[in-house]
Amino acid sequence: MKLTIEKHHLVSALDYVARVVERRSTIPILSNLLLSACPGKLEVRATDLDLEVSSEVTADVSEPGKVTVNADTFEKLVKKLPDGCLVSLDEKIGLEKDGLTLKAGRSRVKLLTLDAMDFPSLAAGEFKCGMNMPAHMLAGLFDRVGFAVSTEETRYYLCGIYLHLFKIGG
């Protein structure tokens, strides 16, 4: 991934997206932002597994790609750059891949990254089945099992309700 973007465009995307990021998460990838560069734009995405937020901004992309970078570090660093400057982001591909290099003016910083393939996506996709039910009945179902939902972040796999649909009769 290699791109150049104006600082104010990047800051506006970060202000919008970074609010969702878990600061002290037990899952390291949730502390990161996913930066996806494709021709003409940069998409910045963050999730806490309950909510996913993304923002697209215009950028001069010379090499498309995806990378994740620590949200807190990246946001603080970008905001400290001088106003009106151009920010260059470059992730080397291949054997030289050792992080994301940020350049702006005389500043040059190398940031650690995590694999973009590990970043969770909350895209719903298509469901094979559906249902129609009054809202009060669905709320009643959730009330009956809601006590069993874990509030402990360390056991994130127990923080939800499994809803299984099946057909009754013929």
Side-chain angles (χ1 to χ4, degrees):
M1 178 177 88
K2 189 172 188 177
L3 64 94
T4 304
I5 186 170
E6 293 180 28
K7 177 197 170 191
H8 70 91
H9 288 307
L10 189 54
V11 168
S12 68
L14 292 175
D15 282 343
Y16 179 68
V17 171
R19 297 176 195 163
V20 175
V21 176
E22 292 281 333
R23 300 291 180 211
R24 296 176 291 141
S25 176
T26 56
I27 307 168
I29 197 78
L30 296 182
S31 298
N32 283 14
L33 297 171
L34 176 65
L35 306 177
S36 302
C38 52
K41 66 180 179 179
L42 172 69
E43 180 186 21
V44 182
R45 186 182 306 166
T47 184
D48 64 359
L49 294 181
D50 289 326
L51 180 68
E52 181 176 273
V53 177
S54 67
S55 179
E56 286 185 3
V57 289
T58 57
D60 180 23
V61 178
S62 53
E63 292 177 25
K66 293 182 178 184
V67 67
T68 68
V69 65
N70 183 279
D72 194 41
T73 305
F74 188 65
E75 183 182 24
K76 286 178 182 176
L77 185 64
V78 169
K79 286 185 175 183
K80 288 184 180 182
L81 295 173
D83 290 333
C85 72
L86 287 177
V87 179
S88 295
L89 301 175
D90 186 8
E91 180 198 28
K92 303 264 190 257
I93 298 174
L95 297 174
E96 302 170 8
K97 187 175 180 179
D98 58 351
L100 181 70
T101 303
L102 181 144
K103 295 178 190 173
R106 297 184 318 189
S107 303
R108 183 171 185 251
V109 179
K110 190 163 286 202
L111 299 165
L112 297 176
T113 61
L114 293 176
D115 189 11
M117 297 300 291
D118 294 337
F119 195 83
S121 175
L122 298 183
E126 291 186 31
F127 295 106
K128 294 180 182 176
C129 61
M131 68 173 189
N132 288 318
M133 142 185 286
H136 72 278
M137 288 180 70
L138 185 60
L141 289 174
F142 290 150
D143 284 342
R144 290 182 187 158
V145 296
F147 71 91
V149 175
S150 176
T151 56
E152 234 179 276
E153 187 178 315
T154 56
R155 297 179 354 165
Y156 58 90
Y157 48 88
L158 298 176
C159 293
I161 296 173
Y162 176 67
L163 182 62
H164 180 77
L165 302 177
F166 57 92
K167 191 173 184 177
I168 299 175

